[in-house]
Every structure is written in C-alpha cells, then in structure tokens.
Coordinates of all heavy atoms in Angstrom, one line a residue:
S3 N 59.0 -126.6 -35.3 CA 57.8 -126.7 -34.5 C 57.8 -126.0 -33.2 O 56.9 -125.6 -32.6 CB 57.5 -128.2 -34.3 OG 57.3 -129.0 -35.5
Y4 N 59.1 -125.9 -32.6 CA 59.3 -125.4 -31.2 C 60.2 -124.2 -31.2 O 60.8 -124.0 -30.2 CB 59.8 -126.5 -30.4 CG 58.9 -127.7 -30.3 CD1 59.1 -128.8 -31.0 CD2 57.7 -127.7 -29.5 CE1 58.1 -129.8 -30.9 CE2 56.9 -128.7 -29.4 CZ 57.1 -129.8 -30.0 OH 56.3 -130.9 -30.0
G5 N 60.3 -123.5 -32.3 CA 61.2 -122.4 -32.4 C 61.2 -121.4 -31.3 O 62.3 -121.2 -30.5
T6 N 60.1 -120.7 -31.0 CA 60.1 -119.8 -29.9 C 60.3 -120.5 -28.6 O 60.9 -119.9 -27.7 CB 58.7 -119.1 -29.9 OG1 58.5 -118.4 -31.3 CG2 58.5 -118.1 -28.9
Q7 N 59.7 -121.6 -28.4 CA 59.8 -122.4 -27.2 C 61.2 -122.8 -26.9 O 61.7 -122.8 -25.9 CB 58.9 -123.6 -27.1 CG 57.4 -123.2 -27.0 CD 56.6 -124.3 -27.2 OE1 56.7 -125.3 -26.4 NE2 55.6 -124.4 -28.1
T8 N 61.9 -123.2 -28.0 CA 63.3 -123.6 -28.0 C 64.2 -122.3 -27.4 O 65.1 -122.5 -26.7 CB 63.9 -124.2 -29.2 OG1 63.1 -125.3 -29.6 CG2 65.3 -124.6 -29.2
Q9 N 63.8 -121.2 -28.0 CA 64.7 -120.0 -27.6 C 64.4 -119.7 -26.2 O 65.3 -119.3 -25.5 CB 64.3 -118.9 -28.6 CG 64.8 -118.9 -29.9 CD 64.3 -117.8 -30.9 OE1 63.4 -117.2 -30.6 NE2 65.1 -117.6 -31.9
K10 N 63.1 -119.8 -25.8 CA 62.8 -119.5 -24.4 C 63.5 -120.5 -23.5 O 64.0 -120.1 -22.4 CB 61.3 -119.6 -24.2 CG 60.8 -119.2 -22.8 CD 59.3 -119.4 -22.7 CE 58.9 -119.1 -21.2 NZ 57.5 -119.3 -21.0
A11 N 63.5 -121.8 -23.9 CA 64.1 -122.8 -23.1 C 65.6 -122.5 -23.0 O 66.2 -122.7 -21.8 CB 63.9 -124.2 -23.8
Q12 N 66.2 -122.1 -24.0 CA 67.7 -121.8 -23.9 C 68.0 -120.6 -23.0 O 68.9 -120.6 -22.2 CB 68.3 -121.5 -25.3 CG 69.8 -121.5 -25.3 CD 70.4 -122.7 -24.8 OE1 70.2 -123.9 -25.3 NE2 71.3 -122.7 -23.8
T13 N 67.1 -119.7 -23.0 CA 67.2 -118.5 -22.0 C 67.0 -118.9 -20.6 O 67.9 -118.6 -19.7 CB 66.1 -117.4 -22.4 OG1 66.3 -117.0 -23.7 CG2 66.2 -116.3 -21.4
I14 N 66.1 -119.8 -20.3 CA 65.9 -120.5 -19.0 C 67.2 -121.3 -18.6 O 67.7 -121.1 -17.5 CB 64.6 -121.4 -19.0 CG1 63.4 -120.5 -19.1 CG2 64.6 -122.3 -17.7 CD1 62.1 -121.3 -19.4
I15 N 67.7 -122.0 -19.5 CA 68.9 -122.9 -19.3 C 70.1 -121.8 -19.0 O 70.9 -122.1 -18.0 CB 69.3 -123.8 -20.4 CG1 68.3 -124.9 -20.5 CG2 70.7 -124.3 -20.2 CD1 68.3 -125.9 -19.5
N16 N 70.2 -120.8 -19.7 CA 71.3 -119.8 -19.5 C 71.2 -119.1 -18.1 O 72.2 -119.0 -17.4 CB 71.4 -118.8 -20.6 CG 71.7 -119.3 -22.0 OD1 72.4 -120.4 -22.0 ND2 71.5 -118.6 -23.0
K17 N 69.9 -118.8 -17.7 CA 69.8 -118.2 -16.4 C 70.2 -119.2 -15.3 O 70.8 -118.9 -14.3 CB 68.3 -117.8 -16.2 CG 68.0 -117.2 -14.9 CD 68.8 -115.9 -14.7 CE 68.4 -115.3 -13.3 NZ 69.3 -114.2 -12.9
A18 N 69.8 -120.5 -15.5 CA 70.2 -121.6 -14.5 C 71.6 -121.7 -14.5 O 72.2 -121.9 -13.4 CB 69.6 -122.9 -15.0
L19 N 72.3 -121.6 -15.5 CA 73.8 -121.6 -15.6 C 74.4 -120.5 -14.7 O 75.5 -120.7 -14.0 CB 74.3 -121.7 -17.0 CG 74.2 -123.0 -17.7 CD1 74.6 -122.8 -19.2 CD2 75.1 -124.1 -17.1
E20 N 73.9 -119.4 -14.9 CA 74.3 -118.2 -14.1 C 74.2 -118.4 -12.7 O 75.2 -118.1 -11.8 CB 73.5 -116.9 -14.5 CG 73.8 -116.4 -15.9 CD 73.0 -115.3 -16.2 OE1 72.4 -114.6 -15.3 OE2 72.8 -114.9 -17.4
I21 N 73.0 -119.0 -12.2 CA 72.8 -119.3 -10.8 C 73.8 -120.3 -10.3 O 74.4 -120.2 -9.2 CB 71.3 -119.7 -10.6 CG1 70.3 -118.6 -10.9 CG2 71.2 -120.3 -9.2 CD1 69.0 -119.1 -11.0
T22 N 74.0 -121.4 -11.0 CA 75.0 -122.4 -10.6 C 76.3 -121.9 -10.5 O 77.0 -122.2 -9.6 CB 74.9 -123.5 -11.8 OG1 73.6 -124.0 -11.9 CG2 75.8 -124.7 -11.4
T23 N 76.8 -121.1 -11.6 CA 78.1 -120.5 -11.5 C 78.2 -119.6 -10.2 O 79.4 -119.6 -9.6 CB 78.4 -119.7 -12.7 OG1 78.3 -120.6 -13.9 CG2 79.8 -119.1 -12.8
Q24 N 77.2 -118.9 -9.9 CA 77.3 -118.0 -8.7 C 77.5 -118.8 -7.5 O 78.2 -118.4 -6.5 CB 75.9 -117.2 -8.7 CG 75.9 -116.3 -7.5 CD 74.6 -115.6 -7.3 OE1 73.7 -115.7 -8.2 NE2 74.4 -114.7 -6.4
F25 N 76.8 -120.0 -7.3 CA 76.8 -120.8 -6.0 C 77.8 -121.9 -6.0 O 78.2 -122.3 -5.0 CB 75.5 -121.3 -5.7 CG 74.6 -120.2 -5.2 CD1 73.7 -119.6 -6.1 CD2 74.5 -119.8 -3.9 CE1 72.9 -118.6 -5.8 CE2 73.7 -118.8 -3.6 CZ 72.9 -118.2 -4.4
A26 N 78.3 -122.3 -7.1 CA 79.2 -123.5 -7.2 C 79.9 -123.5 -8.6 O 79.8 -124.3 -9.3 CB 78.5 -124.8 -7.0

C-alpha cells in the first residue's frame, strides 16, 4: 500500500541520520 512512500520515508530518515552524525 505504501511502497513508494516507504522508500521516500527511508530516504528522509537516512538524510536525517547523516545530519545527526555530522552534528553529534
């Protein structure tokens, strides 16, 4: 039901992890 949205969500999460790793 949410295939494309789940992939997009995971991309958003991965970007957030990059930012987090950069600052802390």
Side-chain angles (χ1 to χ4, degrees):
S3 301
Y4 299 98
T6 303
Q7 293 177 55
T8 302
Q9 289 175 338
K10 181 180 175 186
Q12 192 58 57
T13 300
I14 290 169
I15 291 288
N16 291 343
K17 179 64 178 169
L19 284 169
E20 288 175 19
I21 295 168
T22 303
T23 301
Q24 179 182 3
F25 287 95

